[in-house]
Amino acid sequence: MDENHENDALTNPKPSTEHDIADELNLKMKKYLRGKVNDLGALKDKKLRTQLTIREELYGKSAKAAAKAEKWLMPSEGGYLEPEGIEKTWRIKQDAIAREVDIRSSRNQYDIVLPDLGPYTLDFTSSGRYMAIGGRKGHLGIVDMINLSLVRELQVRETVRDVVFLHNELFFAAAQKKYLYIYNREGTELHCLKEHGAVLRLQFLENHFLLASVNKFGQLHYQDVTMGAMVGNFRTGLGRTNVMQVNPFNGVVGLGHSSGTVTMWKPTSSAPLVKMLCHRGPVSALAFHSNGQLMATAGQDKKVKIWDLRKFEVLQTLPGHASSLDFSQKGLLACSNGSFIQVLSDASGTHNYSKYMTHSMVKGYQIGKLAFRPYEDVLGIGHSQGWSSILIPGAGEPNFDSWVANPFETSKQRREKEIRSLLDKLPPETIMLDPSKIGTVQTTKKEKKTKQERESEMEAAVEDVKGRKMKNKTKGRNKPGRVAHKKQEALAKVKRPYIEQKVQEEENVSNKKQKTSEGVELPKSLQRFARKKASS
């Protein structure tokens, strides 16, 4: 008896574990289900009831598959700072975070001090593995962020204003004093793009392989890096600007101008797609959310605004000045002002941003650029004395897709990915505000016919009726008078729609004239000639 009880005790934990897994999957399924299951028993149409039943089964299977993928393929979960009691997350300092995290994460807190070569700007690859740095005094370099080792550095001995990676870490572009240069990973100069002029800001459109730049004369250039052709060259007409950002959702380039306006451009249009008056002073910073629906702007009027790009209206206005803005993958917004950094979060999911974390650099450090590192809770900071890195819990996406961005990819995987991305390269014509329109059918409006076209159609219809032969009827029903009467009825029937349309147009014109005459107030000398309204 005792042995049987021991065997039962040993076999009981396994079913309970499976039961717990099933319960967890059921909870995750609720997140992917499309509402409650409809009661289909009341439907009388058997065919419709069968179709809806099959559709509900498919919805359930897809929700179960998504729940399994979330449990087994995405084991990591993003973590935020969670205060207890009267604690405030923005009071937690970087030293307190470093004491609680693991050794690998604590290595992401560092300060590289190079005061003779700054201020610095920086850029990350799409996987977050590599970082490109550019010092104003000519220092360029590539850093491996996993090993924290310097891959390559070089000194170009002239001003460097901005750096950006191209499709991978093998190539990067640098905006130097006179021209735009492209280097490879070994530091070899590959191209000198003189057509761009003295470039102030750079952006790269990954899906289109386009290098976008804006120079000190306010000219916007698009260059295809695969073919070397200049796709677009436009004058903005709004003066010099050093505020430039790409919307990752649709590939539209946003520029901030000194007049307080933000313009959005695509390479196939010489005029901006959108021109928004965002601030009463010059625009100092600009950032787009990864979902393409939110835009953050900062101006010299000491205001930071969150915009809804679906309606082009302000969702929230925050006090403060910002010289650099950047959205993280999970929607955190980093703002910098002088040597102070403030990170805002949307905890409720209602686009209501509030203070999440703060960080103060050493007094005298002037922050030039902020950039969140993809797939990591890390914020890169380029400032006047070098560059730094701090930890922002909950900033990065915890699960990466190796088909999209793989930080641990081998050289063979990189080559295969480069070939696939070149085959899937999108043409510049696909850049638009709403990319969901691609593949849909454009409905054309019916053009209004002119008076001559309507008259010619009516004459053709009349001639057709006149030339039509009447059927021979029986005796007594084929008299000439009866035949002529039937021809007149057929002619009237053909002319009726054209006459009705003409009468309707005349009535619309007379109504418009009457409305305009009623809205115009006559002088006193002519009011006695005005038509008086009938008294009810």
Side-chain angles (χ1 to χ4, degrees):
M1 295 294 292
D2 295 338
E3 291 179 359
N4 292 335
H5 285 302
E6 288 177 0
N7 292 334
D8 293 341
L10 290 173
T11 55
N12 281 336
K14 187 174 180 181
S16 63
T17 305
E18 293 177 355
H19 184 68
D20 293 340
I21 293 174
D23 290 342
E24 187 178 355
L25 287 175
N26 290 331
L27 288 174
K28 291 182 181 295
M29 277 180 62
K30 293 180 180 179
K31 185 166 62 174
Y32 297 101
L33 286 173
R34 306 187 183 189
K36 296 182 180 179
V37 179
N38 297 320
D39 185 13
L40 304 177
L43 289 175
K44 295 181 180 180
D45 191 345
K46 292 183 179 180
K47 185 177 180 181
L48 178 61
R49 185 167 64 242
T50 305
Q51 290 176 352
L52 292 178
T53 304
I54 295 172
R55 188 171 295 180
E56 291 291 344
E57 290 178 358
L58 291 175
Y59 289 160
K61 289 180 181 179
S62 63
K64 189 174 182 180
K68 287 183 178 179
E70 182 181 355
K71 178 172 177 57
W72 303 113
L73 299 181
M74 296 191 295
S76 301
E77 295 182 359
Y80 294 88
L81 292 177
E82 297 180 359
E84 296 180 355
I86 60 173
E87 288 183 346
K88 301 294 183 183
T89 57
W90 49 270
R91 290 180 179 173
I92 300 175
K93 303 299 181 184
Q94 291 293 314
D95 297 337
I97 296 175
R99 290 194 296 268
E100 302 298 331
V101 299
D102 59 315
I103 297 174
R104 182 176 175 274
S105 298
S106 62
R107 293 176 64 192
N108 290 321
Q109 286 182 327
Y110 58 83
D111 288 315
I112 306 298
V113 181
L114 296 170
D116 297 334
L117 301 174
Y120 275 85
T121 183
L122 48 91
D123 184 55
F124 291 101
T125 56
S126 59
S127 64
R129 172 72 183 266
Y130 296 93
M131 179 179 69
I133 56 171
R136 184 59 65 92
K137 303 297 177 59
H139 182 212
L140 294 174
I142 300 177
V143 182
D144 188 342
M145 300 303 296
I146 292 181
N147 303 323
L148 290 180
S149 59
L150 187 65
V151 177
R152 182 67 61 184
E153 66 175 339
L154 65 150
Q155 175 61 251
V156 296
R157 297 183 181 275
E158 65 178 10
T159 303
V160 175
R161 301 186 183 92
D162 200 6
V163 292
V164 66
F165 275 112
L166 300 188
H167 55 280
N168 54 28
E169 72 277 5
L170 298 182
F171 306 96
F172 68 96
Q176 296 178 203
K177 184 177 181 179
K178 288 185 178 181
Y179 305 118
L180 173 63
Y181 292 87
I182 294 180
Y183 298 90
N184 65 0
R185 184 176 175 174
E186 303 302 323
T188 306
E189 179 187 324
L190 301 178
H191 300 286
C192 176
L193 308 178
K194 296 184 179 181
E195 299 88 352
H196 292 252
V199 175
L200 300 180
R201 285 291 177 267
L202 289 170
Q203 290 292 326
F204 185 71
L205 285 67
E206 294 183 358
N207 296 328
H208 307 81
F209 281 81
L210 292 178
L211 180 62
S213 69
V214 61
N215 59 20
K216 63 181 182 180
F217 301 109
Q219 289 179 316
L220 178 63
H221 294 82
Y222 288 91
Q223 184 141 15
D224 189 342
V225 297
T226 59
M227 305 297 292
M230 186 68 71
V231 178
N233 180 7
F234 312 118
R235 284 187 175 271
T236 60
L238 295 171
R240 177 172 176 156
T241 178
N242 60 351
V243 179
M244 182 181 186
Q245 198 70 29
V246 171
N247 190 338
F249 175 68
N250 51 20
V252 173
V253 173
L255 299 177
H257 303 278
S258 58
S259 58
T261 58
V262 172
T263 55
M264 300 181 189
W265 300 79
K266 69 175 183 177
T268 56
S269 175
S270 59
L273 300 175
V274 178
K275 189 175 182 180
M276 303 168 57
L277 180 61
C278 298
H279 294 274
R280 295 185 177 180
V283 177
S284 58
L286 176 68
F288 289 98
H289 197 282
S290 57
N291 61 10
Q293 298 176 1
L294 294 181
M295 178 181 70
T297 59
Q300 297 291 347
D301 56 355
K302 296 184 179 180
K303 290 181 181 179
V304 177
K305 295 183 180 181
I306 310 295
W307 297 81
D308 187 352
L309 294 181
R310 293 169 295 181
K311 300 179 181 178
F312 297 103
E313 64 180 16
V314 181
L315 292 176
Q316 190 178 5
T317 302
L318 302 168
H321 175 66
S323 58
S324 179
L325 295 172
D326 191 37
F327 274 105
S328 73
Q329 290 179 315
K330 302 299 285 186
L332 299 182
L333 177 61
C335 314
S336 68
N337 181 16
S339 59
F340 181 73
I341 299 171
Q342 186 175 7
V343 181
L344 308 175
S345 69
D346 179 21
S348 60
T350 58
H351 304 317
N352 186 15
Y353 279 81
S354 58
K355 193 177 353 180
Y356 176 61
M357 287 188 69
T358 58
H359 179 70
S360 296
M361 304 293 294
V362 178
K363 190 175 181 180
Y365 284 20
Q366 296 297 314
I367 299 172
K369 185 174 182 180
L370 299 176
F372 280 101
R373 181 181 165 190
Y375 303 103
E376 292 287 345
D377 296 341
V378 175
L379 176 63
I381 307 164
H383 49 79
S384 58
Q385 302 296 317
W387 73 89
S388 305
S389 178
I390 60 175
L391 295 177
I392 307 295
E397 174 64 41
N399 302 288
F400 65 88
D401 187 354
S402 60
W403 293 98
V404 177
N406 185 7
F408 306 101
E409 66 182 2
T410 62
S411 59
K412 183 178 179 180
Q413 290 174 337
R414 186 180 63 242
R415 288 194 298 268
E416 293 292 331
K417 181 184 175 183
E418 187 172 4
I419 293 171
R420 286 198 308 270
S421 57
L422 283 170
L423 293 174
D424 297 337
K425 171 188 167 185
L426 298 176
E429 292 79 11
T430 58
I431 298 177
M432 56 183 65
L433 289 175
D434 186 9
S436 62
K437 290 183 179 179
I438 299 175
T440 59
V441 178
Q442 184 178 4
T443 57
T444 56
K445 295 182 179 179
K446 293 183 179 179
E447 296 182 356
K448 195 175 180 180
K449 296 179 181 179
T450 60
K451 185 178 179 180
Q452 293 179 354
E453 290 177 350
R454 290 199 302 270
E455 289 179 354
S456 61
E457 283 185 5
M458 188 176 69
E459 290 177 358
V462 169
E463 292 295 331
D464 185 32
V465 171
K466 286 182 178 179
R468 193 181 303 165
K469 293 182 179 180
M470 304 298 292
K471 290 183 179 180
N472 293 324
K473 302 291 183 179
T474 58
K475 187 177 180 181
R477 298 177 59 189
N478 201 20
K479 294 180 180 180
R482 189 183 290 270
V483 173
H485 181 66
K486 285 186 177 181
K487 283 189 177 182
Q488 289 179 359
E489 285 183 352
L491 289 174
K493 188 177 180 180
V494 169
K495 292 181 180 179
R496 188 177 297 120
Y498 299 100
I499 296 172
E500 288 178 354
Q501 185 179 1
K502 186 177 180 181
V503 171
Q504 185 66 31
E505 289 179 356
E506 291 177 355
E507 288 180 358
N508 293 336
V509 172
S510 62
N511 291 336
K512 287 182 182 179
K513 288 182 179 179
Q514 187 175 356
K515 287 181 180 179
T516 53
S517 62
E518 289 177 356
V520 177
E521 186 177 356
L522 295 174
K524 290 184 179 180
S525 59
L526 300 177
Q527 284 181 0
R528 60 196 180 106
F529 299 106
R531 185 178 297 176
K532 294 181 181 180
K533 294 182 181 180
S535 58
S536 57

